Amino acid sequence: TRKFPLTTLLRALGTFDHARNFGYEWLSPEGDELLGRTTASNVVNTKTGEVLLELGEEVTAEALAAFRAAGVTEVEVILPP
């Protein structure tokens, strides 16, 4: 038997986005809601490809300023417990 990631099956069934969003939310970097939150995916500057903050890192004031400067519109974060 061959193993494959569950995400491959979910994508094939068309339910990946719904399942992926369980426990996560998208927030705008305009307010201060992101401060102290943990990222659920890499935050990337779409113009340059530069990773501004990696998956699992805490959003700091410096990171928030970088998001705003890069024109990031939404950041995926883990829901607080």
Side-chain angles (χ1 to χ4, degrees), residues 8-81:
T8 302
L9 176 63
L10 292 174
R11 280 190 178 116
L13 295 174
T15 60
F16 179 72
D17 287 330
H18 176 70
R20 183 181 122 117
N21 289 332
F22 184 73
Y24 304 95
E25 65 181 334
W26 292 89
L27 295 175
S28 168
E30 296 307 315
D32 290 335
E33 288 181 295
L34 282 173
L35 286 175
R37 300 291 294 273
T38 303
T39 58
S41 60
N42 287 346
V43 181
V44 180
N45 182 333
T46 56
K47 294 178 183 104
T48 65
E50 174 190 7
V51 176
L52 302 173
L53 201 62
E54 293 189 8
L55 162 75
E57 292 187 344
E58 186 176 311
V59 177
T60 62
E62 294 81 20
L64 195 54
F67 299 163
R68 291 173 182 156
V72 173
T73 57
E74 288 185 317
V75 177
E76 185 179 22
V77 294
I78 299 172
L79 286 172

